[in-house]
Every structure is written in structure tokens, then in C-alpha cells.
Amino acid sequence: MIAYILRRLGAGALLLVIVTLVTFGIFYVVPRLAGQTTEQLATMYVGRAPTPEAIQATIDRLGLDQPIALQFWEFLKGIFVGAEYQFGRNVVECSAPCFGYSFQNYQEVFPEIVRRLPVTFSLAIGAAVIWLVGGVTVGMVSAIKKGSVFDRIAMGIALAGVSLPVFFTGLLALAFLVHAWGIFPSPGYTPFLNNPVAWATGLVLPWLTLAFLHAAMYARQTRAGMLETMGEDYIRTARAKGLKERTVVFKHGLRPTLTPILTIFGLDLGLVLGGAVLTEQVYSLNGIGRYAVQAIVQSDLPVILGVTLFGAFFVVVCNLIVDLLYAWVDPRVRVAG
Amino acid sequence: MTTPGTGQAPDTAEAVVSVRDLKITFPTLDGDVHAVDGLSFEVPAGGALGIVGESGSGKSATSLALMGLHRGTRARISGELLVAGTDVVTATDQQVRAMRGNDIAMVFQDPMSSLHPQYTIGNQIVEAYRTHHPGAGAAEARRRAVDALERVGIPEAARRIHSYPHEFSGGMRQRVLIAMGLVCEPKVLLADEPTTALDVTVQAQILDLLDDLRRDLGMSLILVSHDLAVVAGSVDRVLVMQKGRAVEQGDVRTVLSEPEHPYTQALLAAVPRVEVSRAQRRAQVRAERAVAAEQERAAEREHGAEPAREPEAAPAPPPAAAAPAAEAGGGEPLLRVENVRQRFRVRGGMFGAASYFYAVDDVSFELHRGETLGIVGESGSGKSTLSRMIMRLLQPTEGRVVFEGRDITRLSDRQLRPLRRDIQMIFQNPYSSLNPRLTIGDSIGTALRVQGERNGKVVRQRVQELLERVGLEPAHYNRFPHAFSGGQRQRIAIARALILRPKLVICDEPVSALDVSTQDQVLRLLAELQDDFDLTLIFVAHDLAVVRQVSDRVAVMRKGRIVEMSDGDSVYEQPRHDYTRQLLAAAPVLDPDEARRLRAERHRLRRQAGDNAGV
């Protein structure tokens, strides 16, 4: 078991290094392969006034004329020990972990991400709870009452949920549920510690919108998985023992069904923690996703790069947790590892 | 008829299970299917009944109905089904639940999939006990579970109770399932094909165990199987089912020695017998073939213009091949296997340290043209690995494989390609070895195309000829595998192997997934084809009787080595190795008295082994 955990941890760390390498490659190497000169590349990092002097200063500052390997090394070093940037006589420090420095806003990226973290976390975790509980429950009931009216309606809604993008459902919800009918309060973020009630009421609609999309997928997955599991031989064995149908379903049927769902849950949660771009944008929640959108609009490359890395970090960590949970949920994994 | 204790009171008083005029109907799109149609039988307390029939005969539907497991499905059920006083047809769900596990416990066919993979066996057994004894504490339930596991012969039960199903072998899992059935001390144990998925020796152990339990605990036993030989030694009465009806029912000795119904007779004739030698079997098959051919010719003469069936055209043995077949034994062997070993890496232990084991360890033999070599062994004996090495699907770690005087051990995939034409394989499971999305014509014809035949018409014609030769219709060319039964699929697999006119065919358990009577047909077909196509066969199986009937020579494998190899009859009549004797003692036989004698012999061998281990 310990060997399994260590192996997984090692794999997770390796994956993070590879992700960093690839992300770095996308921003620093691919543009060159596409024919961009060092000057053109530097323009992207220069800030608001791309004078030739400024460009040259940026090249020096970022070491863009250095060999790629050296640049990557500096980049990695920045993450672990921090970096310093020269602006004329001023030295700007980007303390560790330095995920980059926005030359447009003269801000370090990491503190900006951390500042927005509570918003994204509140949104992601609240929505995740709703979609997991809601999706699995609906999926189970659908599977048990296969072919019933409930099943048909639920699966119809689920199909809609899978196919409707957030900017559609979100805008509709805003227009009708908030503005026209006033059922929900205006969405917004209040820190939990300031006022838990306002925190929850402000986030209800974003939670539901984000959860709807995922819950639909989870309901379909759960239903399919449950139907398959209930056809297994060991379910017949459980019934042959004389167990109550409730025990058969919840003890014997649910666990194998949830095992694969755990995997997608890890991925989804990781993705959303790295920024629920559409939901945050639609409801003007100032989270990591919105930060990324703003950076994209402004072509603020260091921010985009920082957010990307940060998102990747969450996906890797969530997957790692899922892998470890897996060993607990499914004893066969412990041996196979 | 819902009131037990009126008309049939005297019977039901002593019968634990009483079935009267049971009908089970499955509504389908093509109308109702009557899986069981008017079945009646009784099992007295402490008695044992065998239910025998082919797949589709309704025997499994019957056993599921006895457990009330048809509830919640589309099956419609009528008649009277009394199990320990509960009428399963009319009882409430709650009554049926109280009956399941407590009055009647079931052991299923596939121990691999019948235990929940994510709970410990202890958890699953305790659960069965506490369902029916809600007042019992955790400690008592656990003690009961350990007792039951010890009773079925799980060593170190108190420790193993914390193990998960995947940590047990197939036989051990079946024991666990039996223990789970026993824990509430039911009046009836219902075993549906309990040994079909198991090796011969394990099968014998499980059957012995069931027999012991029945005697010691005074349980009734219902043993359901497709194989008469499996039930012969374990039951008092036997019921033969065909198409949902009981065609014959009676004392096991009477039914087996003087079967009245033609179906029972056919079923008995199909059971492969370990005591029948290859020569006898061949003579019998040849004679029957001659008679059939004669009848066919007579029929053709009568109806002058009988459609153009050309039984002689299709086989058309390659003329050159006949000569070397004649001088079998002399000259260069077709295949020479020299000291091959196959090493596999096993991961495990701390930090995934690897260890190695030899699946095949120093095996050598020669095979001459036209000969059939039978390889017998249990799962894990390395017989499949060996056949894969000969096919060169695996590269031997050491040793040489020489085919037609040419060393093929280290040939590259590219160099092997022409060789694939000469060595073909027939696999065990006809359900999963055919691509469900290809028509059988494509499945069979692909090999021809791969080997360079471009003319679609030629491919089609040759495939259709061959389909006819293996006993299918040429019109089946465009059908998909799901439209065929297991036996027919295996015929398709045979056709696929033969389309390239190979010299050597390796049959890896070709009939072990089939019913006894289908087995017999497929074996006959293989024998015919061997003559017609001048094939050299390697026949891998765990069933001793089947191997004896088809093989000139037999090799017995155990733990990667050949422990005994000689011509077929002497392996069976004068076995030299202990393991061979064990295997022979484990083979199911049709004569109930002989079966009892073998059971005693097995007890003796086991005690001996136990004593030896103790010393």
C-alpha cells in the first residue's frame, strides 16, 4: 500500500514537471517554431509602449535571447525561489512561487491568483457537491425505475443539460430567474467569513448553472453504470442471500457504480478549480477563470501562462487524490497498482 | 392451489422442494418463449436430485425460479413451487426474502463473478447470516462465518475472512460461495452448474464437498448440470430436461443404465468417456460416417435430381499431402519443440520489485505429420502458453521451435507472415473470439485476403465451400456471429482456421465452453476434417476423456513441465505419474457406483497427500 502511494506521488510529481515543460514550450518555443523572432516575442511581454528600447530591455530582462534550456531553467527557478526583473534602475521582485509577472499591470501573477482563489473555490466546491449528489441520485433512481416517467423526463433533461452550454443557460437564468421574475438574488461574491448567508445566496445561481451541466453527465453515467452493475452475477448472489432490495442496491450496486464516477469527478473538479471560465464570466464573479479571460483579451501572456500552470496543478492534484481513493474503494487496485 | 396443505399435504410433509406443473414464459418480440413447460418434481428432505439438460433446456430458469429470482424480470410464472413450505409463486416479496438463503441457498456457475469484488468474503458471509438472524451480534456472526469457511475447507479461515475474492483461486471462491450458502444452515442447497468453470481436479473436490455436506448436515441437494457424468456420483434421482419439459425422471442408476427416452440416450452417448480409447472411437465415427454417406447416396439415387450437393468436392485434400501422411513416424517431424521455456515477469512486493516465473519450463516433443498430440493440464499448467509459443504469438525465452525443419524461434513478424498460413489456431471461447461486427464470411475470408487473394468471388466461393464442409449453410455468409449458437460459432472458428489449408492446427480448449452434445458434434467434425484435410493437430484441453478420444499421443502438463507423455492408451491405462493418477481419479464417470469408488479413492489420495505434507 505504501509502495502504491509512493508510486502515485512520484508519478504525480513527474506529471507536474511534464505539464510545466509543455506549457513553457507552448509559450516560449512554439511561437519561435512558427517563425516569430525574438523581438516579436518580446513585444508580447513588453507592456503598453513597445518602443525598440523597451523591447530590447524586455529581451534582456526575460533573457529571451538565451538558449531555450536556460530559459526553462530560469522559469523553473522562478517557481521555486522567485525571480527579479530589472526596470531601469528599479528591481521588481517576483517572490516564490513566481508564476510570472504581468508587465501590463505591473503585478505578480501568483498573488493575483491567490486573491481570486476563494471565489473560484466557493463556486467550484459548492457546485461539485450539488452535481455529484444530484447527478448520482437522479441517475440511480432512473436506473432503478428504468423506463418509468421519471426516468424518461430525467434523461431528457440530462440530454438538454449535456448539450446546453453555460453561456446559454446562465444568461437565460439571469434574464428570467433574476431580472424578470426575481426568484434568485443577483449573483455576486461575499466572503464566507463576512456573511455566510450572503455568500450562499449570492452563489446559488452560479452553483446551479455550473452543476446543471455536470449533473447531467453524472446522471447519465450513473444510470448506465448502475444498469450494468445490477446485471452482474454478484448482484444475483446478493439477492439469493435474501438481502433487502435496498441493501442490494445501496451496498452492492452503488459502490461499483461510483468507482468509475470517482475518476471523472477528480478530473472535473480539478478543471473547475483551475477556473470555471464561462460561469465566472457570465455571472461576473471575479475568480481565476475571469482573470484568465481578461488576460486573454489583453494578450497578457505571463498571466495566461500562470493560470494555465495553476489549473494543471489542480487537475494533477485532484487526480492524485482520486488515485489514492481508488485503492481504498477498490481492493483489486492495491495488488495490481 | 395457493393453499399448501390441502390436496398434497402428505407429499409436501416430507418433500422439502415440491414443484407441480411449473411453467415459465418469457414474452419476446417474436411471441412468448416457454422456457419451462409443465415441469413437476420433488426433492425429499436429505435427498439429492440432479437436473440435466443442454443450454436452453430451461434448467437454469427452473433453478432461478426456485430462488424466486425471476421476480422483477419479465418472466411469467405459474404452477406451484413449494420450497420448505413457501409457495414461491404466490408468496410476498418479504416471504421470499426470508426463504432465500435461510431455507434454500444457491451456488452459482461462475465463482469468478459471483462474489462482490469490493467487499471481503467475511463481510459477504456475515451479511448473509445477519440478514436472517437480525438479533445476532457481530461477534457471533463472525464466528459462524469462520465455522462455515472451515467447514468447506478454507485453510486458516479466521485470517482469510479478511481477504477479498480476487485473492482466491476459482475453486476456493466456489468454496466461499458454498460457505455463504451454508452459514444459515438451509434445508436445500441448489447448485447450478457449480463446477463448469473449474478444472477437473477442482471439480471433483467441489462435488466431493457438496456430497459430504449433504451427508453431514442432512441437507437436500439439487445439482443442475449439462453433464450427466457430473451428477452421476452425487445424486439419488435424476431429471432430464429438454425444451422446458422433463423427458425422463427416475433413480440415477436406472436412468443411466437403462435410459428410456431417445434424448437421454443421445445425451449419454455424447458424454466423452475416459475408458473409450481413440481406436474404438475412430472406428465408431468412421462406421457412422460410412452409414451416413451410404444413406445419402441412396437418397440421391432415389430422388434423381437432388440439388447439387457435392460432398466430395469441398474437402479435396491436396494430393501431395497424402504421401507423407502415410509414412508418419519416419522422416522429418513436422514440428520439433526443443527445451522451450517461457519466462514471465511478475510485479509485486515493495516498490514493485519484479520476480520471474516460468510458465513453461523445459518442454520438448516432436510431432509428425497427420498425428494428433493431446496436451492435458489444469489452468496454470502452461498449456496455453505452450501453444502460443508454437504459434509464435509468444517468443520462447529459451529453447527452439522447429517447423518443417526450419527454426522459427527467432523469426521476425515479417518473416513469420508466410508461416501463419501453415499454423492456425482454434480458440476456446467461440463467443469472444469472433468479431461481432464482421459477418462470418468476412471473418473467415479475411485470412485469405491477408494472404494475398484479391479476387472477391474466389474468396466468397472458397468460404462458402468451407462453410458447407463444417456443417453450416453457404447462405450464412452474410450473417453476424450473434445469430449463431455456441456450437455453430465453434464451427465458424474451425472454418476460419482451415481456410488457409494449414498444416498444423492448434486447438486450445475448443469444446470446453460447449454443451456435452455439441461437444460431441464438434469433436466428430474435427476428426473428419483431420482425415479430409490431412491435418496435424495439437489438442489442448483439461478434459481427459475428450483428449483421449482425439489424440494419438498424450502429454500431461503440470506447472510448466510435461510430467508424462506417451501414446494415449498407456497414459490412461498405465499412468506412471501420481499427478496423472490424480487427474484420472478426478474425471467424472457415468456409472454411479464407479463414481463412488473414485470418490473413495480421491479421499484416500488426499489423506495420503495430507500425511506426506505433515511429515
Side-chain angles (χ1 to χ4, degrees):
Chain A
M1 190 62 200
I2 294 164
Y4 174 77
I5 294 175
L6 287 179
R7 251 200 325 270
R8 285 289 138 195
L9 280 174
L14 184 68
L15 192 57
L16 273 177
V17 172
I18 292 171
V19 166
T20 314
L21 188 65
V22 171
T23 319
F24 177 84
I26 290 172
F27 287 93
Y28 286 89
V29 182
V30 174
R32 281 175 200 277
L33 297 180
Q36 272 201 348
T37 60
T38 307
E39 282 72 26
Q40 283 169 328
L41 198 60
T43 317
M44 314 281 278
Y45 295 88
V46 82
R48 280 162 198 149
T51 57
E53 296 77 38
I55 289 173
Q56 192 51 50
T58 307
I59 290 175
D60 293 343
R61 193 182 305 134
L62 294 176
L64 289 177
D65 47 358
Q66 306 286 321
I68 294 292
L70 198 65
Q71 289 185 43
F72 182 61
W73 172 245
E74 290 293 328
F75 180 75
L76 270 188
K77 213 168 82 179
I79 296 179
F80 289 103
V81 295
E84 287 181 351
Y85 298 110
Q86 206 81 45
F87 285 94
R89 291 205 195 119
N90 300 340
V91 172
V92 178
E93 198 183 338
C94 176
S95 49
C98 176
F99 275 85
Y101 186 89
S102 162
F103 299 102
Q104 295 188 0
N105 302 316
Y106 303 105
Q107 280 172 333
E108 291 176 49
V109 173
F110 186 69
E112 286 299 303
I113 292 178
V114 171
R115 197 162 65 80
R116 291 169 167 82
L117 215 51
V119 182
T120 299
F121 263 52
S122 301
L123 174 64
I125 291 174
V129 169
I130 296 176
W131 89 57
L132 187 65
V133 174
V136 169
T137 312
V138 169
M140 269 182 66
V141 177
S142 273
I144 294 165
K145 301 190 180 300
K146 185 184 165 221
S148 66
V149 177
F150 176 89
D151 178 29
R152 281 161 206 225
I153 293 176
M155 286 305 116
I157 295 176
L159 185 65
V162 173
S163 14
L164 296 177
V166 166
F167 50 79
F168 181 77
T169 49
L171 288 178
L172 274 189
L174 264 186
F176 290 99
L177 299 180
V178 178
H179 297 308
W181 302 330
I183 301 173
F184 286 99
S186 238
Y189 179 76
T190 319
F192 180 77
L193 292 175
N194 291 9
N195 184 348
V197 179
W199 172 80
T201 48
L203 284 173
V204 166
L205 200 57
W207 281 342
L208 290 179
T209 314
L210 182 56
F212 181 50
L213 171 77
H214 287 95
M217 284 192 287
Y218 282 67
R220 293 171 67 87
Q221 285 272 359
T222 309
R223 182 178 181 271
M226 195 80 189
L227 284 177
E228 196 186 320
T229 309
M230 292 311 281
E232 294 282 354
D233 286 351
Y234 51 78
I235 296 295
R236 193 180 54 186
T237 310
R239 289 206 175 108
K241 278 192 246 183
L243 298 184
K244 291 196 186 71
E245 192 61 22
R246 193 158 22 105
T247 319
V248 174
V249 171
F250 283 97
K251 183 177 170 189
H252 293 259
L254 190 57
R255 191 160 163 181
T257 310
L258 285 188
T259 314
I261 286 187
L262 193 61
T263 313
I264 41 173
F265 184 68
L267 273 176
D268 286 345
L269 185 63
L271 276 176
V272 175
L273 282 176
V277 175
L278 291 175
T279 314
E280 287 176 13
Q281 187 67 17
V282 166
Y283 292 109
S284 309
L285 295 171
N286 210 1
I288 299 170
R290 195 135 186 270
Y291 186 40
V293 173
Q294 286 161 355
I296 291 167
V297 172
Q298 298 172 3
S299 304
D300 196 349
L301 279 186
V303 177
I304 303 174
L305 195 148
V307 172
T308 310
L309 261 186
F310 208 70
F313 172 74
F314 276 119
V315 173
V316 171
V317 168
C318 283
N319 263 307
L320 188 64
I321 295 171
V322 164
D323 274 349
L324 297 181
L325 280 179
Y326 232 92
W328 170 66
V329 170
D330 194 340
R332 285 166 298 182
V333 173
R334 286 173 218 163
V335 198
Chain B
M1 69 182 192
T2 56
T3 48
T6 48
Q8 294 96 23
D11 286 348
T12 48
E14 47 181 285
V16 185
V17 174
S18 157
V19 175
R20 251 166 243 288
D21 197 28
L22 175 69
K23 288 195 173 82
I24 304 175
T25 311
F26 295 100
T28 68
L29 288 178
D30 308 325
D32 288 356
V33 172
H34 303 283
V36 175
D37 197 2
L39 185 71
S40 303
F41 64 86
E42 271 182 6
V43 184
L49 172 76
I51 302 181
V52 179
E54 290 177 71
S55 44
S57 63
K59 58 189 195 314
S60 285
T62 307
S63 48
L64 289 179
L66 280 172
M67 297 296 294
L69 285 171
H70 58 278
R71 285 172 185 240
T73 67
R74 296 156 146 281
R76 282 202 312 269
I77 196 161
S78 72
E80 191 186 56
L81 249 177
L82 283 177
V83 177
T86 313
D87 187 338
V88 184
V89 179
T90 55
T92 62
D93 281 355
Q94 204 181 349
Q95 285 171 316
V96 169
R97 272 204 305 274
M99 173 205 82
R100 287 177 187 163
N102 203 23
D103 293 327
I104 179 168
M106 185 160 180
V107 179
F108 296 96
Q109 171 169 1
D110 190 351
M112 293 303 178
S113 60
S114 293
L115 285 165
H116 199 295
Q118 291 170 318
Y119 293 103
T120 61
I121 59 159
N123 182 325
Q124 298 184 53
I125 298 174
V126 162
E127 173 187 56
Y129 185 75
R130 296 189 81 177
T131 308
H132 297 289
H133 301 83
E140 192 204 335
R142 190 176 168 281
R143 210 188 64 235
R144 292 271 180 175
V146 174
D147 284 352
L149 284 172
E150 273 170 359
R151 189 70 200 72
V152 298
I154 302 271
E156 296 183 78
R159 190 175 61 81
R160 296 292 268 166
I161 200 167
H162 300 295
S163 302
Y164 288 92
H166 68 262
E167 297 170 59
F168 292 90
S169 67
M172 283 294 164
R173 285 190 214 189
Q174 197 59 298
R175 284 171 193 266
V176 170
L177 274 162
I178 294 173
M180 193 186 290
L182 288 181
V183 72
C184 292
E185 296 171 356
K187 301 187 180 73
V188 189
L189 193 61
L190 169 58
D192 188 355
E193 303 266 15
T195 59
T196 309
L198 305 174
D199 276 330
V200 193
T201 49
V202 184
Q203 160 166 297
Q205 287 165 15
I206 295 291
L207 290 175
D208 292 353
L209 173 64
L210 289 175
D211 195 59
D212 286 352
L213 291 172
R214 183 192 143 208
R215 263 155 227 285
D216 298 352
L217 307 178
M219 283 186 315
S220 303
L221 176 69
I222 301 179
L223 187 57
V224 180
S225 177
H226 70 275
D227 190 347
L228 274 167
V230 165
V231 303
S234 304
V235 301
D236 319 321
R237 291 176 63 78
V238 66
L239 182 154
V240 182
M241 282 186 81
Q242 185 194 18
K243 293 178 185 158
R245 292 169 184 277
V247 295
E248 187 155 1
Q249 187 170 176
D251 180 75
V252 64
R253 284 188 181 73
T254 324
V255 172
L256 292 182
S257 55
E258 297 145 33
E260 282 172 8
H261 195 278
Y263 180 72
T264 316
Q265 290 163 1
L267 211 54
L268 270 171
V271 174
R273 296 178 190 223
V274 120
E275 65 272 17
V276 174
S277 76
R278 170 156 166 85
Q280 288 167 319
R281 160 93 181 173
R282 281 196 119 171
Q284 184 197 348
V285 170
R286 286 225 174 90
E288 286 177 19
R289 235 187 135 188
V291 170
E294 182 54 43
Q295 280 170 348
E296 199 167 302
R297 260 188 303 252
E300 266 172 37
R301 273 199 299 277
E302 265 176 47
H303 315 268
E306 186 74 348
R309 268 187 65 112
E310 305 166 68
E312 306 307 325
E327 48 166 321
E332 176 74 4
L334 181 70
L335 177 76
R336 211 163 62 231
V337 174
E338 295 172 2
N339 309 92
V340 291
R341 305 178 87 188
Q342 179 69 50
R343 190 172 66 176
F344 285 122
R345 190 158 171 252
V346 197
R347 222 170 142 185
M350 277 295 266
F351 305 106
S355 57
Y356 295 94
F357 92 104
Y358 285 92
V360 170
D361 195 357
D362 196 18
V363 165
S364 307
F365 62 85
E366 287 184 354
L367 187 62
H368 291 275
R369 282 172 211 279
E371 193 184 24
T372 302
L373 173 70
I375 301 180
V376 193
E378 299 186 270
S379 42
S381 63
K383 56 193 196 305
S384 287
T385 308
L386 179 63
S387 30
R388 265 150 228 262
M389 281 195 288
I390 298 168
M391 271 297 281
R392 272 301 318 278
L393 294 173
L394 280 173
Q395 182 163 348
T397 318
E398 286 169 39
R400 297 204 313 153
V401 178
V402 181
F403 183 75
E404 289 192 308
R406 182 168 170 220
D407 186 349
I408 63 166
T409 324
R410 312 265 165 231
L411 291 188
S412 68
D413 282 351
R414 207 187 158 76
Q415 291 166 308
L416 272 172
R417 214 171 292 153
L419 204 78
R420 299 269 180 234
R421 187 186 266 274
D422 293 332
I423 309 179
Q424 285 289 317
M425 196 157 178
I426 299 169
F427 296 94
Q428 171 171 12
N429 191 338
Y431 291 93
S432 58
S433 62
L434 289 170
N435 185 341
R437 290 175 206 284
L438 286 186
T439 64
I440 63 163
D442 282 338
S443 265
I444 301 170
T446 302
L448 274 180
R449 292 205 181 85
V450 168
Q451 293 284 353
E453 179 59 64
R454 294 226 158 64
N455 186 338
K457 268 191 191 143
V458 174
V459 171
R460 194 186 174 94
Q461 192 199 341
R462 287 190 52 191
V463 170
Q464 287 183 334
E465 276 171 16
L466 197 58
L467 277 179
E468 197 167 354
R469 185 63 202 85
V470 298
L472 298 166
E473 302 284 328
H476 289 163
Y477 187 89
N478 280 325
R479 290 209 195 156
F480 288 92
H482 67 80
F484 296 91
S485 69
Q488 286 174 318
R489 284 182 204 216
Q490 206 56 306
R491 287 170 192 269
I492 297 167
I494 291 172
R496 183 173 60 180
L498 293 187
I499 189 77
L500 290 173
R501 295 285 159 86
K503 293 173 180 144
L504 173 65
V505 175
I506 302 172
C507 313
D508 189 1
E509 300 267 13
V511 295
S512 62
L514 305 175
D515 273 341
V516 171
S517 50
T518 323
Q519 246 181 37
D520 184 56
Q521 293 159 12
V522 171
L523 289 176
R524 278 164 193 267
L525 175 68
L526 271 175
E528 286 177 26
L529 293 172
Q530 181 172 24
D531 288 351
D532 295 348
F533 285 72
D534 188 43
L535 296 175
T536 307
L537 292 180
I538 294 181
F539 195 98
V540 180
H542 69 271
D543 188 326
L544 292 145
V546 167
V547 169
R548 176 163 194 185
Q549 290 182 0
V550 297
S551 313
D552 301 309
R553 280 190 302 151
V554 173
V556 181
M557 276 191 85
R558 186 192 195 191
K559 293 182 181 164
R561 293 169 180 276
I562 292 184
V563 297
E564 179 161 2
M565 177 153 100
S566 60
D567 73 278
D569 293 341
S570 62
V571 167
Y572 288 87
E573 277 152 25
Q574 294 115 30
R576 286 190 309 255
H577 196 278
D578 271 348
Y579 180 65
T580 316
R581 273 192 282 275
Q582 271 179 37
L583 278 181
L584 282 170
V589 292
L590 275 176
D591 178 357
D593 298 317
E594 173 76 1
R596 298 270 168 205
R597 196 186 61 69
L598 284 174
R599 176 160 287 157
E601 167 79 5
R602 286 198 292 271
H603 275 298
R604 198 182 59 75
L605 280 172
R606 228 168 279 153
R607 260 200 315 280
Q608 219 171 36
D611 290 347
N612 288 346
V615 170

